[in-house]
Amino acid sequence: MAEERVMLVDGMALLFRGYFANSYGGYIRKTKAGLPTNAVFGFVKYLLDACKTFNPTHIVCCWDLGSKTFRTDKFDGYKANRPAAPTDLIPQFDLVKEVVTGFNIPNISFPGYEADDCIGTLSRQLSEHMEVLVLTGDHDMLQLVDERVKVIIMKKGASNYAVYDAEKLLEEKQLTAKQFIDLKGLIGDTSDNYPGVKGIGEKTATKLLVEYVSIEGILDNLEQLPKGVKAKIEAEIDMLHLCRELATISCDAPVSCLPDDCFWQPDHAKIFTMFEELEFNSLVKDVSRFIAVS
């Protein structure tokens, strides 16, 4: 019997990637009735490819719910730079969850928390039972890596993944998963709109963490730092601590999922009917090939 492994899917990462990958030239895939489906089409292709590549026995899909979270309560500017979702994408937010349900995969989210927090929480819960694979395009998730949790970063191109365990993370980034949180505290995150310490880039931050291990270690050794680096950190200590809080994925969100609730057992007939309704004719062949070998 194959070893059990659960794939925790960052739903929004796949959906947005699917939208932009299938809207080039301004063309938006739609049903004959005019319902936009390009993002959902891309989502399904990415999901099936990941299933074929990593062969999970269990799957969960996690989602964001709106823009207000416990992080916006701490920092008004958090993600305030995000543009509004494209008009053609909006009706696909509910549609993609219907499709996930049609695959017999649970959708999990909770008000005030991001998909990252749901994934972090479930990774801790489910790693007690099986190996955990986190499927995302978001490098913030690297902080979740541990002995039982691997993070799969989707890269450009079909079937192109970077799989991080603790060894790979240390080899490529020179940091542990916990240090990755401190890195984001130091350098901030432009996509999430929090600044970190002004003037401290990734190269300098990584060097500091390799030498002093943590933000606390850096602060305990301020007198040893170059004068310019010391001045920058001293001027932004409060922001440094706040940014580390914003960067930290919560692993105690009020969500749960038992292994029996997320066993991957697709209903073939249900999927074919769903694809016919969505006019995903080319994917019928893809899913047929996949199911034949799964």
Side-chain angles (χ1 to χ4, degrees):
M1 182 176 178
E3 182 186 358
E4 291 191 329
R5 63 177 64 88
V6 60
M7 188 164 69
L8 303 179
V9 179
D10 182 350
M12 286 300 186
L14 268 67
L15 187 67
F16 272 85
R17 185 178 289 255
Y19 178 84
F20 289 109
N22 291 282
S23 60
Y24 29 71
Y27 170 75
I28 301 294
R29 183 189 188 98
K30 297 180 181 179
T31 64
K32 293 185 179 71
L35 177 67
T37 58
N38 66 314
V40 176
F41 181 85
F43 175 97
V44 170
K45 287 197 72 169
Y46 291 135
L47 178 64
L48 290 176
D49 186 80
C51 287
K52 285 185 284 188
T53 303
F54 300 104
N55 196 29
T57 55
H58 298 68
I59 308 179
V60 181
C61 196
C62 295
W63 301 95
D64 296 327
L65 282 182
S67 57
K68 186 170 177 57
T69 68
F70 70 89
R71 293 182 180 86
T72 55
D73 291 338
K74 291 181 179 181
F75 183 56
D76 287 342
Y78 183 74
K79 291 191 176 180
N81 60 334
R82 295 285 178 95
T87 303
D88 289 318
L89 178 56
I90 293 172
Q92 298 185 68
F93 289 140
D94 288 334
L95 178 61
V96 72
K97 292 180 184 179
E98 292 176 17
V99 169
V100 169
T101 299
F103 273 101
N104 290 336
I105 297 171
N107 290 299
I108 290 186
S109 56
F110 199 88
Y113 291 85
E114 297 180 48
D116 297 24
D117 305 310
C118 297
I119 289 172
T121 301
L122 295 178
S123 73
R124 296 297 176 258
Q125 292 175 6
L126 291 168
S127 64
E128 295 180 8
H129 305 279
M130 65 190 82
E131 181 185 12
V132 175
L133 306 175
V134 175
L135 180 67
T136 184
D138 186 353
H139 284 73
D140 290 352
M141 298 280 201
L142 293 175
Q143 65 185 267
L144 299 177
V145 168
D146 70 15
E147 289 182 4
R148 299 276 283 171
V149 180
K150 294 178 182 177
V151 173
I152 302 164
I153 300 292
M154 301 172 66
K155 303 176 76 175
K156 288 184 178 179
S159 302
N160 190 12
Y161 305 97
V163 181
Y164 289 91
D165 56 13
E167 185 179 355
K168 172 77 169 177
L169 190 59
L170 196 59
E171 176 189 332
E172 187 170 305
K173 305 291 186 181
Q174 299 178 264
L175 301 173
T176 65
K178 187 174 181 181
Q179 285 178 311
F180 207 78
I181 304 172
D182 285 4
L183 175 71
K184 299 306 288 282
L186 284 162
I187 68 174
D189 189 319
T190 54
S191 66
D192 287 341
N193 201 43
Y194 59 88
V197 177
K198 291 176 184 174
I200 299 290
E202 185 170 352
K203 186 176 179 181
T204 298
T206 299
K207 184 178 178 181
L208 290 171
L209 288 169
V210 168
E211 187 164 357
Y212 299 111
V213 181
S214 66
I215 285 174
E216 285 73 24
I218 294 168
L219 296 178
D220 287 343
N221 290 277
L222 279 176
E223 298 305 321
Q224 310 301 318
L225 304 184
K227 188 175 179 180
V229 174
K230 175 176 178 286
K232 289 171 184 174
I233 292 175
E234 285 180 326
E236 301 280 0
I237 286 179
D238 288 344
M239 182 57 74
L240 171 60
H241 287 303
L242 174 59
C243 289
R244 179 166 62 174
E245 286 184 45
L246 297 174
T248 302
I249 292 174
S250 172
C251 290
D252 57 3
V255 296
S256 64
C257 186
L258 297 172
D260 287 349
D261 297 331
C262 58
F263 182 66
W264 170 230
Q265 193 169 23
D267 182 327
H268 310 169
K270 189 176 180 182
I271 291 172
F272 292 148
T273 299
M274 180 171 65
F275 281 5
E276 286 176 2
E277 290 174 355
L278 292 170
E279 299 167 24
F280 288 175
N281 299 327
S282 63
L283 290 185
V284 170
K285 292 180 181 179
D286 285 350
V287 80
S288 297
R289 284 195 295 268
F290 170 63
I291 288 170
V293 299
S294 62

